Amino acid sequence: MNTAIVLAGGKGKRMKSDIPKQFMELKGEPLLCHSLRVFQNSPIIDEIVVVTSPDYISYVKEEIVIKNAFDKVKHITSGGGERYDSVYEGLKCVESPGYVFIHDGARPCVTDKIISDCYDAVRKFDACVAAVPVKDTIKVSDSEGMAVNTPDRSRLWQIQTPQVFDVNLVKECYKKMYSVSDKSDITDDAMVVERYGNKKIKLVNADYRNIKVTTPEDIEIAASFLK
């Protein structure tokens, strides 16, 4: 069983909008519809779990899932205070062994090829993430904003989603994470598996167009990519 957990609980403060970014209009429909449609149409994905805020569960069900006949969506559940809390709530809905694709609903430009390439990788390595090599030179700064180091760009990757894992592996790692008190530095699912599963993560060369919509100009950029 291959399950996609699509996270749609963000508040989108940097969008300067009262509407959460995943529900803002993109090419005539809520942004979330675009990523859900790719997973809906993928022959690899068997079911979808949408994680959103409690206030939007009815909206997601009526205006997105039912309206667009996304019949692979089997669960719509409430998220938590942090991203990892929302992922954990989504994982609770996954009952069968297999693989789970964890994806940001605010990444509308995910493609079937990305899903397929990640699927090939996870079957071999048990854990992988969509990513792209960094194009720009990166500087490490000190607390005063002064550059102190320049890492080797050839070894740097920009991490995207989906992040894909063996279901039992990622569930066990999340359980271990919740057994410790300090989770403040956890930024993505791969970090949970690296730390609590002692597992190396395969980087899957994805697509620079698979952007996360974060600021108002990103809506225009995503629209141009979706053409």
Side-chain angles (χ1 to χ4, degrees):
M1 177 74 74
N2 296 320
T3 303
I5 295 177
V6 180
L7 304 173
K11 295 183 172 65
K13 294 178 180 178
R14 281 176 285 182
M15 294 296 291
K16 299 179 180 178
S17 171
D18 294 332
I19 303 173
K21 60 187 176 183
Q22 61 271 16
F23 304 128
M24 294 181 71
E25 185 174 302
L26 174 61
K27 293 183 69 65
E29 61 183 352
L31 188 152
L32 177 61
C33 289
H34 295 276
S35 55
L36 283 179
R37 186 170 292 111
V38 178
F39 287 104
Q40 169 73 29
N41 293 337
S42 170
I44 291 171
I45 302 301
D46 300 301
E47 66 176 17
I48 302 170
V49 176
V50 179
V51 185
T52 190
S53 65
D55 294 340
Y56 280 89
I57 287 179
S58 295
Y59 174 81
V60 170
K61 180 179 179 181
E62 300 293 334
E63 296 300 322
I64 294 181
V65 174
I66 294 176
K67 188 174 182 178
N68 292 279
F70 291 150
D71 58 2
K72 286 186 181 180
V73 177
K74 304 302 182 183
H75 304 277
I76 304 171
T77 190
S78 299
E82 301 293 339
R83 184 186 187 279
Y84 52 75
D85 295 318
S86 294
V87 171
Y88 193 49
E89 292 304 314
L91 287 172
K92 291 177 182 178
C93 299
V94 182
E95 299 177 350
S96 302
Y99 299 105
V100 59
F101 294 66
I102 302 170
H103 186 66
D104 297 323
R107 289 187 189 270
C109 301
V110 63
T111 64
D112 193 59
K113 184 179 188 305
I114 294 174
I115 293 172
S116 178
D117 288 349
C118 286
Y119 186 47
D120 289 341
V122 76
R123 285 185 292 175
K124 184 176 181 180
F125 299 100
D126 290 331
C128 70
V129 298
V132 289
V134 167
K135 293 180 178 181
D136 299 320
T137 296
I138 303 296
K139 298 287 186 181
V140 177
S141 74
D142 61 16
S143 60
E144 296 178 350
M146 304 298 289
V148 296
N149 187 25
T150 306
D152 180 3
R153 183 174 61 187
S154 68
R155 299 180 64 186
L156 298 177
W157 290 68
Q158 180 179 333
I159 303 305
Q160 302 178 344
T161 65
Q163 301 195 3
V164 192
F165 309 94
D166 174 89
V167 169
N168 292 331
L169 170 66
V170 71
K171 278 190 169 185
E172 185 62 29
C173 291
Y174 263 85
K175 288 178 182 178
K176 288 181 179 178
M177 182 191 73
Y178 275 95
S179 69
V180 302
S181 57
D182 185 12
K183 301 180 283 291
S184 60
D185 62 337
I186 297 294
T187 57
D188 72 346
D189 314 297
M191 192 172 179
V192 176
V193 174
E194 287 168 338
R195 179 175 297 178
Y196 299 102
N198 194 27
K199 186 76 176 176
K200 288 187 176 181
I201 311 296
K202 178 63 177 176
L203 300 172
V204 179
N205 203 336
D207 194 320
Y208 288 99
R209 291 170 292 188
N210 185 28
I211 66 168
K212 186 176 183 180
V213 172
T214 305
T215 60
E217 57 267 24
D218 291 337
I219 289 282
E220 298 178 14
I221 295 170
S224 68
F225 288 158
L226 288 170
K227 288 181 181 178

Short mmCIF file of all heavy atoms in Angstrom, two decimals, residues 95-128:
data_model
loop_
_atom_site.label_atom_id
_atom_site.label_comp_id
_atom_site.label_asym_id
_atom_site.label_seq_id
_atom_site.Cartn_x
_atom_site.Cartn_y
_atom_site.Cartn_z
N GLU A 95 -2.52 2.57 8.09
CA GLU A 95 -2.64 1.31 8.83
C GLU A 95 -1.90 0.16 8.16
O GLU A 95 -1.53 -0.81 8.83
CB GLU A 95 -4.11 0.95 9.00
CG GLU A 95 -4.90 2.00 9.80
CD GLU A 95 -6.38 1.66 9.89
OE1 GLU A 95 -6.81 0.71 9.18
OE2 GLU A 95 -7.10 2.32 10.66
N SER A 96 -1.69 0.22 6.85
CA SER A 96 -1.10 -0.90 6.13
C SER A 96 0.39 -0.69 5.91
O SER A 96 0.86 0.43 5.76
CB SER A 96 -1.79 -1.08 4.77
OG SER A 96 -3.17 -1.29 4.93
N PRO A 97 1.18 -1.77 5.87
CA PRO A 97 2.60 -1.64 5.54
C PRO A 97 2.77 -1.21 4.09
O PRO A 97 1.85 -1.37 3.27
CB PRO A 97 3.14 -3.06 5.77
CG PRO A 97 1.95 -3.95 5.62
CD PRO A 97 0.79 -3.17 6.14
N GLY A 98 3.91 -0.67 3.78
CA GLY A 98 4.17 -0.17 2.43
C GLY A 98 5.04 1.05 2.50
O GLY A 98 5.97 1.12 3.31
N TYR A 99 4.72 2.05 1.69
CA TYR A 99 5.51 3.27 1.65
C TYR A 99 4.60 4.49 1.78
O TYR A 99 3.45 4.48 1.34
CB TYR A 99 6.29 3.37 0.33
CG TYR A 99 7.26 2.21 0.14
CD1 TYR A 99 6.97 1.19 -0.75
CD2 TYR A 99 8.43 2.13 0.89
CE1 TYR A 99 7.83 0.11 -0.91
CE2 TYR A 99 9.30 1.05 0.74
CZ TYR A 99 9.00 0.05 -0.17
OH TYR A 99 9.86 -1.01 -0.31
N VAL A 100 5.14 5.53 2.41
CA VAL A 100 4.36 6.75 2.62
C VAL A 100 5.11 7.93 2.01
O VAL A 100 6.31 8.10 2.22
CB VAL A 100 4.07 6.98 4.12
CG1 VAL A 100 5.35 7.10 4.94
CG2 VAL A 100 3.19 8.20 4.33
N PHE A 101 4.38 8.71 1.22
CA PHE A 101 4.90 9.89 0.55
C PHE A 101 4.39 11.11 1.31
O PHE A 101 3.19 11.40 1.28
CB PHE A 101 4.40 9.96 -0.90
CG PHE A 101 4.91 8.88 -1.81
CD1 PHE A 101 4.55 7.55 -1.61
CD2 PHE A 101 5.74 9.19 -2.88
CE1 PHE A 101 5.01 6.55 -2.46
CE2 PHE A 101 6.21 8.19 -3.73
CZ PHE A 101 5.85 6.88 -3.52
N ILE A 102 5.27 11.83 1.99
CA ILE A 102 4.87 13.00 2.78
C ILE A 102 5.15 14.25 1.95
O ILE A 102 6.30 14.51 1.57
CB ILE A 102 5.62 13.03 4.12
CG1 ILE A 102 5.37 11.74 4.91
CG2 ILE A 102 5.19 14.25 4.94
CD1 ILE A 102 6.24 11.57 6.13
N HIS A 103 4.09 15.01 1.67
CA HIS A 103 4.22 16.12 0.73
C HIS A 103 3.59 17.40 1.26
O HIS A 103 2.53 17.36 1.90
CB HIS A 103 3.55 15.75 -0.60
CG HIS A 103 3.75 16.76 -1.69
ND1 HIS A 103 4.98 17.04 -2.24
CD2 HIS A 103 2.87 17.59 -2.31
CE1 HIS A 103 4.86 17.97 -3.18
NE2 HIS A 103 3.59 18.34 -3.22
N ASP A 104 4.24 18.52 0.98
CA ASP A 104 3.68 19.83 1.32
C ASP A 104 2.57 20.17 0.33
O ASP A 104 2.82 20.24 -0.88
CB ASP A 104 4.76 20.92 1.25
CG ASP A 104 5.87 20.70 2.25
OD1 ASP A 104 5.58 20.25 3.37
OD2 ASP A 104 7.04 20.98 1.92
N GLY A 105 1.38 20.43 0.84
CA GLY A 105 0.28 20.82 -0.04
C GLY A 105 0.55 22.12 -0.78
O GLY A 105 -0.07 22.40 -1.80
N ALA A 106 1.49 22.92 -0.26
CA ALA A 106 1.83 24.19 -0.89
C ALA A 106 2.89 24.02 -1.98
O ALA A 106 3.47 25.01 -2.44
CB ALA A 106 2.31 25.18 0.15
N ARG A 107 3.17 22.78 -2.39
CA ARG A 107 4.03 22.52 -3.55
C ARG A 107 3.15 22.00 -4.68
O ARG A 107 3.02 20.78 -4.87
CB ARG A 107 5.13 21.51 -3.21
CG ARG A 107 6.20 22.04 -2.28
CD ARG A 107 7.35 21.04 -2.13
NE ARG A 107 8.26 21.45 -1.08
CZ ARG A 107 9.33 22.24 -1.26
NH1 ARG A 107 9.61 22.67 -2.48
NH2 ARG A 107 10.10 22.56 -0.25
N PRO A 108 2.54 22.89 -5.45
CA PRO A 108 1.58 22.47 -6.46
C PRO A 108 2.20 21.92 -7.74
O PRO A 108 1.49 21.37 -8.58
CB PRO A 108 0.81 23.76 -6.76
CG PRO A 108 1.83 24.84 -6.54
CD PRO A 108 2.66 24.37 -5.38
N CYS A 109 3.51 22.06 -7.90
CA CYS A 109 4.16 21.68 -9.16
C CYS A 109 4.83 20.32 -9.10
O CYS A 109 5.66 20.00 -9.96
CB CYS A 109 5.16 22.76 -9.58
SG CYS A 109 4.44 24.40 -9.81
N VAL A 110 4.50 19.52 -8.09
CA VAL A 110 5.01 18.16 -8.05
C VAL A 110 4.54 17.42 -9.30
O VAL A 110 3.47 17.70 -9.83
CB VAL A 110 4.54 17.43 -6.77
CG1 VAL A 110 3.03 17.28 -6.74
CG2 VAL A 110 5.24 16.10 -6.60
N THR A 111 5.36 16.49 -9.79
CA THR A 111 5.04 15.80 -11.03
C THR A 111 4.99 14.29 -10.82
O THR A 111 5.51 13.76 -9.83
CB THR A 111 6.09 16.09 -12.11
OG1 THR A 111 7.36 15.56 -11.69
CG2 THR A 111 6.22 17.59 -12.35
N ASP A 112 4.39 13.61 -11.79
CA ASP A 112 4.34 12.16 -11.73
C ASP A 112 5.74 11.57 -11.80
O ASP A 112 6.02 10.53 -11.19
CB ASP A 112 3.49 11.62 -12.88
CG ASP A 112 3.14 10.16 -12.70
OD1 ASP A 112 2.53 9.81 -11.67
OD2 ASP A 112 3.51 9.35 -13.58
N LYS A 113 6.65 12.23 -12.53
CA LYS A 113 8.02 11.73 -12.63
C LYS A 113 8.73 11.80 -11.27
O LYS A 113 9.46 10.87 -10.90
CB LYS A 113 8.83 12.52 -13.66
CG LYS A 113 10.25 11.97 -13.87
CD LYS A 113 11.00 12.75 -14.92
CE LYS A 113 12.34 12.08 -15.24
NZ LYS A 113 13.19 11.84 -14.07
N ILE A 114 8.52 12.88 -10.53
CA ILE A 114 9.11 12.98 -9.20
C ILE A 114 8.61 11.84 -8.31
O ILE A 114 9.38 11.19 -7.61
CB ILE A 114 8.80 14.35 -8.56
CG1 ILE A 114 9.50 15.48 -9.33
CG2 ILE A 114 9.24 14.37 -7.10
CD1 ILE A 114 9.13 16.87 -8.86
N ILE A 115 7.30 11.61 -8.34
CA ILE A 115 6.72 10.53 -7.54
C ILE A 115 7.31 9.18 -7.96
O ILE A 115 7.69 8.37 -7.11
CB ILE A 115 5.19 10.52 -7.70
CG1 ILE A 115 4.58 11.79 -7.07
CG2 ILE A 115 4.57 9.27 -7.06
CD1 ILE A 115 3.11 11.97 -7.35
N SER A 116 7.41 8.95 -9.25
CA SER A 116 7.93 7.69 -9.76
C SER A 116 9.40 7.49 -9.39
O SER A 116 9.80 6.40 -8.95
CB SER A 116 7.76 7.63 -11.28
OG SER A 116 8.30 6.45 -11.81
N ASP A 117 10.20 8.55 -9.54
CA ASP A 117 11.62 8.44 -9.21
C ASP A 117 11.83 8.20 -7.71
O ASP A 117 12.71 7.43 -7.31
CB ASP A 117 12.36 9.71 -9.63
CG ASP A 117 12.51 9.82 -11.15
OD1 ASP A 117 12.23 8.83 -11.85
OD2 ASP A 117 12.89 10.91 -11.63
N CYS A 118 11.01 8.85 -6.89
CA CYS A 118 11.10 8.63 -5.44
C CYS A 118 10.68 7.20 -5.09
O CYS A 118 11.26 6.58 -4.19
CB CYS A 118 10.24 9.64 -4.70
SG CYS A 118 10.91 11.32 -4.65
N TYR A 119 9.69 6.70 -5.78
CA TYR A 119 9.23 5.33 -5.52
C TYR A 119 10.32 4.31 -5.84
O TYR A 119 10.56 3.37 -5.08
CB TYR A 119 7.97 5.05 -6.33
CG TYR A 119 7.32 3.72 -6.04
CD1 TYR A 119 7.10 3.29 -4.74
CD2 TYR A 119 6.91 2.89 -7.08
CE1 TYR A 119 6.49 2.07 -4.46
CE2 TYR A 119 6.30 1.67 -6.82
CZ TYR A 119 6.11 1.27 -5.52
OH TYR A 119 5.51 0.06 -5.25
N ASP A 120 11.00 4.53 -6.95
CA ASP A 120 12.11 3.64 -7.31
C ASP A 120 13.19 3.66 -6.23
O ASP A 120 13.76 2.63 -5.88
CB ASP A 120 12.72 4.06 -8.66
CG ASP A 120 11.80 3.77 -9.83
OD1 ASP A 120 10.88 2.95 -9.68
OD2 ASP A 120 12.00 4.37 -10.91
N ALA A 121 13.47 4.86 -5.71
CA ALA A 121 14.53 5.00 -4.71
C ALA A 121 14.14 4.41 -3.36
O ALA A 121 14.95 3.74 -2.71
CB ALA A 121 14.90 6.48 -4.54
N VAL A 122 12.91 4.63 -2.93
CA VAL A 122 12.52 4.16 -1.60
C VAL A 122 12.47 2.64 -1.53
O VAL A 122 12.75 2.03 -0.50
CB VAL A 122 11.17 4.78 -1.16
CG1 VAL A 122 9.99 4.13 -1.87
CG2 VAL A 122 11.00 4.68 0.36
N ARG A 123 12.14 2.01 -2.64
CA ARG A 123 12.13 0.54 -2.65
C ARG A 123 13.52 -0.05 -2.49
O ARG A 123 13.68 -1.17 -2.03
CB ARG A 123 11.48 0.03 -3.93
CG ARG A 123 9.96 0.19 -3.96
CD ARG A 123 9.33 -0.43 -5.18
NE ARG A 123 9.70 0.29 -6.40
CZ ARG A 123 9.36 -0.12 -7.62
NH1 ARG A 123 8.67 -1.24 -7.78
NH2 ARG A 123 9.70 0.60 -8.67
N LYS A 124 14.52 0.74 -2.85
CA LYS A 124 15.90 0.28 -2.73
C LYS A 124 16.55 0.70 -1.42
O LYS A 124 17.31 -0.06 -0.81
CB LYS A 124 16.72 0.82 -3.90
CG LYS A 124 18.16 0.34 -3.95
CD LYS A 124 18.87 0.84 -5.20
CE LYS A 124 20.32 0.33 -5.25
NZ LYS A 124 21.03 0.82 -6.47
N PHE A 125 16.22 1.92 -0.94
CA PHE A 125 16.92 2.50 0.21
C PHE A 125 16.06 2.66 1.46
O PHE A 125 16.57 3.04 2.51
CB PHE A 125 17.52 3.86 -0.17
CG PHE A 125 18.52 3.81 -1.30
CD1 PHE A 125 18.15 4.15 -2.60
CD2 PHE A 125 19.82 3.40 -1.07
CE1 PHE A 125 19.07 4.11 -3.65
CE2 PHE A 125 20.74 3.34 -2.09
CZ PHE A 125 20.37 3.70 -3.40
N ASP A 126 14.75 2.45 1.37
CA ASP A 126 13.80 2.58 2.49
C ASP A 126 13.51 4.03 2.90
O ASP A 126 12.56 4.27 3.65
CB ASP A 126 14.27 1.82 3.73
CG ASP A 126 14.20 0.31 3.55
OD1 ASP A 126 13.34 -0.15 2.79
OD2 ASP A 126 15.02 -0.38 4.17
N ALA A 127 14.33 4.97 2.44
CA ALA A 127 14.12 6.38 2.80
C ALA A 127 14.74 7.26 1.74
O ALA A 127 15.91 7.09 1.39
CB ALA A 127 14.74 6.68 4.16
N CYS A 128 13.96 8.21 1.23
CA CYS A 128 14.49 9.12 0.22
C CYS A 128 13.73 10.43 0.25
O CYS A 128 12.62 10.52 0.79
CB CYS A 128 14.42 8.51 -1.19
SG CYS A 128 12.75 8.34 -1.86
#
